[in-house]
Amino acid sequence: MSEERDDLVVLIDENGEETEFEHLDTIEYNGNEYVVLLPVEQTEEENDAEEVVILRIEQGEDGEDSFVTVEDDEELDAVFEEFKMRMEEEFEFEEE
């Protein structure tokens, strides 16, 4: 029996493969909104080296939100730093 969770997001990659993610946070930065997601497979494996996925939210012409890959490393790093500050109580982050 699987429990229903409203914090799950299912994304479809370029190959049509579905992957489930846990929504950790939505962050506003420099006039854009970003989602921070954690692959569900990673959390179920209890892997110590968890990696999050950060995507920019863009609104299409139809008014629907879509998630877009962030190509700019500086933008990605800045959003991740904001996420770390907001979540320092809930997660342990490794120092680089």
Side-chain angles (χ1 to χ4, degrees):
M1 180 163 109
S2 66
E3 68 181 70
E4 190 171 317
R5 295 174 47 179
D6 55 357
D7 63 341
L8 290 183
V9 175
V10 177
L11 298 180
I12 301 170
D13 68 14
E14 61 275 353
N15 300 322
E17 300 283 324
E18 289 186 358
T19 306
E20 282 191 334
F21 293 87
E22 178 182 354
H23 176 264
L24 299 178
D25 201 2
T26 301
I27 295 172
E28 193 168 322
Y29 177 79
N30 270 0
N32 293 309
E33 276 192 316
Y34 302 84
V35 290
V36 182
L37 306 171
L38 181 67
V40 169
E41 289 177 6
Q42 228 175 38
T43 58
E44 289 176 352
E45 294 172 3
E46 296 297 320
N47 187 350
D48 288 336
E50 294 178 343
E51 291 188 19
V52 296
V53 175
I54 298 173
L55 301 170
R56 184 174 40 249
I57 302 171
E58 292 188 358
Q59 204 169 50
E61 293 177 14
D62 57 3
E64 290 290 315
D65 286 343
S66 61
F67 298 138
V68 178
T69 304
V70 179
E71 301 291 336
D72 182 349
D73 287 341
E74 286 182 27
E75 179 182 3
L76 199 57
D77 289 343
V79 173
F80 184 62
E81 288 302 317
E82 177 69 21
F83 170 72
K84 286 180 8 182
M85 285 190 307
R86 292 167 59 141
M87 295 295 190
E88 65 187 350
E89 301 284 320
E90 296 175 44
F91 295 100
E92 257 184 60
F93 294 102
E94 290 182 16
E95 296 298 320
E96 293 182 31

